[in-house]
Amino acid sequence: MALPLSQLPKEIIREVRKHKGLAFLLFLAVSFVVLGAGFVWPYKYQADTIIFVDDRNIIGPLMEGRAVTTKINDRSSAARELLMSRNLIERVATDPEVFRNASMEPDAVEGRIGRIRGGLSVRPRGDSYFSIGFSSTSQTEAFRVAQKLGQVFIEETKERKRFESRNAYDFIDKQVKSYEQQLAQAENRLKRFLSENTDGTESEANSRMAQLRNQLELAELEKEELQTRVGSLQGQLNRIRPTIRQGRTQDAFRDRIRALEERLDSLRLQYHDTYPDIVITQEQLSELKRQRDLAAAQQTDTASLEGEEAVNPLYQELSAALSKTRADMATIDTRINSLRRLMEQQTLRMERIQANKAQYSELTRDMEVNREIYDDLLKRREKARVSMHLDIEGQGLNYRINEAAQFPRSPTGPQFSMFATAGLLLGLAAPFGAVAGLLQIDPRIRARRQLEDDIGLPVLIEIPEARTPYEKRRDRKVTMVVGVFVVLTAAVYIGIVVLAEMGVI
């Protein structure tokens, strides 16, 4: 049964007083073991290089939207991953300026690589700073390695930025050239298709078909009009005689006299009355007037049988109009046949256009898609070119050494003074701690409460421990001897510590 906690301090003190020698030996062993560990514990020296992340320079706002600056998220983690790479650590491990007079054998280099990886540390220091640290048992090694790690990190990040932007530009440039060829091929296919298929577009064909249809309708209307006109002229000709009989009547003489008078008037405008033509015309005019007077005197109730057949002018006019109308009608028939033939050809043209429409749309779509991607890639290539120059010039996101590594003057971690203090404290606490642990597992009954809880009955009386005078004298002598040894041990312990701090040992 466990000892009650209220009784534990009393029992610990009693057991320590009872076993003074063992407690002293435990104190001696623990304190000097811890002190010895302080002598052999290797000192670590830490050197740090402070890196500043410059991502707020003036070039960022100026080039926003026109260039893409290289960005790194979680900078301390990215820096750790980069610094832990074998390529970078191997550059430090094989640098003769860092490890002077060191062997460059593969085994030695591998040992230094492992040592650098074990002592390397990267810690964030605010939003824009982080430190690259290296700890080693050698002050010089810690300083040189930390300094070199900072330099190598800066060089590697700059080189990677340039390499990344250059690769991006080269990739986009290859894509631009590839799409330029594809666009040229698509344009050539479209040109070849248009040269081989000269039927035009669907809208042009529909417009031409509508035009031909309108012309055909107008020609058919005109044909109907001409047919009606032919029928009308034919009916009129059927009712009129082709010739007329012209007798020697007073009216006939009157017409000839009028004609000669008009001719005589015309001649008199140009010549004198003695002109032969005028004289002959006057004689003819006189003879006609005489015959007219004679004809008027011989008129009878019946018409004269004398006369001559002459072409009927009206018949001649109607016949000429009919011939002209029939010629126009033949022309219209020819035009209608031509229009119908053109419409048949246009129908075939529309069928060919519909058949080629899908292919034309595909060729046009391919060309437009290639042109759109090509134009976008051209813009991206120029942005990549500007970004590449930004990285070459060291603009955009940039790392700078804000504070170079300093030569470590004092070690980091547990020091000898801490081991010395801890040795005394642990030596003093060891006996009491050991007794407390033993009391928890000791099956013996040491308190009244233990017995009462075990048997369930109250304890009436408790008999105290009684010692004889001899036992008391012996206990005092042991206490004095242990006390002397404790004082001597403490003096030796303090002396060793003082000499170690002074550098004597």
Side-chain angles (χ1 to χ4, degrees), residues 343-409:
M343 289 183 66
E344 292 176 357
Q345 295 176 359
Q346 194 64 25
T347 302
L348 297 176
R349 176 190 175 190
M350 293 183 67
E351 292 177 357
R352 290 194 302 270
I353 291 175
Q354 291 295 332
N356 296 330
K357 184 177 179 180
Q359 186 178 358
Y360 176 78
S361 300
E362 182 179 358
L363 292 174
T364 305
R365 182 173 59 254
D366 291 344
M367 188 181 68
E368 293 298 329
V369 170
N370 286 328
R371 179 179 287 113
E372 182 179 355
I373 297 176
Y374 176 72
D375 293 339
D376 182 65
L377 286 174
L378 281 179
K379 296 178 182 178
R380 293 180 182 273
R381 185 178 66 176
E382 293 307 313
K383 289 184 179 181
R385 188 198 305 275
V386 177
S387 302
M388 180 178 64
H389 287 296
L390 284 178
D391 288 335
I392 291 175
E393 297 295 332
Q395 302 296 336
L397 178 64
N398 194 21
Y399 292 102
R400 290 204 314 266
I401 296 179
N402 185 68
E403 182 178 338
Q406 302 296 321
F407 190 85
R409 301 295 179 182

Side-chain angles (χ1 to χ4, degrees), residues 158-303:
K158 288 183 178 179
E159 186 63 28
R160 288 198 174 193
K161 283 174 59 180
R162 297 190 189 100
F163 180 76
E164 178 184 351
S165 58
R166 181 66 188 181
N167 281 350
Y169 173 77
D170 291 340
F171 173 76
I172 297 178
D173 185 60
K174 289 181 181 178
Q175 294 299 315
V176 167
K177 293 178 180 177
S178 174
Y179 273 95
E180 185 176 4
Q181 295 177 357
Q182 294 182 22
L183 181 60
Q185 293 174 0
E187 291 177 349
N188 291 333
R189 287 195 298 269
L190 183 60
K191 290 179 182 178
R192 186 166 56 253
F193 174 80
L194 293 177
S195 63
E196 294 174 356
N197 301 273
T198 58
D199 295 322
T201 61
E202 184 178 4
S203 59
E204 294 176 352
N206 290 331
S207 177
R208 178 60 178 165
M209 178 63 78
Q211 183 181 3
L212 292 175
R213 190 178 292 111
N214 292 333
Q215 292 178 1
L216 180 61
E217 291 175 356
L218 292 175
E220 289 177 348
L221 290 175
E222 189 175 353
K223 180 180 179 181
E224 292 177 358
E225 292 176 357
L226 291 176
Q227 288 176 346
T228 302
R229 186 176 179 183
V230 167
S232 176
L233 291 174
Q234 188 66 47
Q236 293 179 16
L237 282 176
N238 293 333
R239 293 192 300 270
I240 296 176
R241 293 182 59 190
T243 60
I244 59 174
R245 179 176 295 276
Q246 186 174 0
R248 296 186 180 274
T249 61
Q250 187 177 4
D251 294 334
F253 288 110
R254 187 182 298 113
D255 293 334
R256 295 180 66 184
I257 291 170
R258 186 183 302 113
L260 289 175
E261 287 178 348
E262 291 177 355
R263 183 182 179 191
L264 180 62
D265 292 336
S266 176
L267 291 172
R268 283 178 175 175
L269 291 175
Q270 300 178 2
Y271 307 103
H272 295 288
D273 290 340
T274 58
Y275 190 72
D277 290 341
I278 294 178
V279 174
I280 294 173
T281 302
Q282 289 177 348
E283 291 178 356
Q284 292 177 353
L285 185 60
S286 299
E287 180 64 25
L288 286 175
K289 288 181 179 180
R290 188 184 64 80
Q291 292 180 5
R292 184 194 61 182
D293 295 338
L294 182 61
Q298 294 179 356
Q299 282 184 355
T300 59
D301 296 336
T302 60

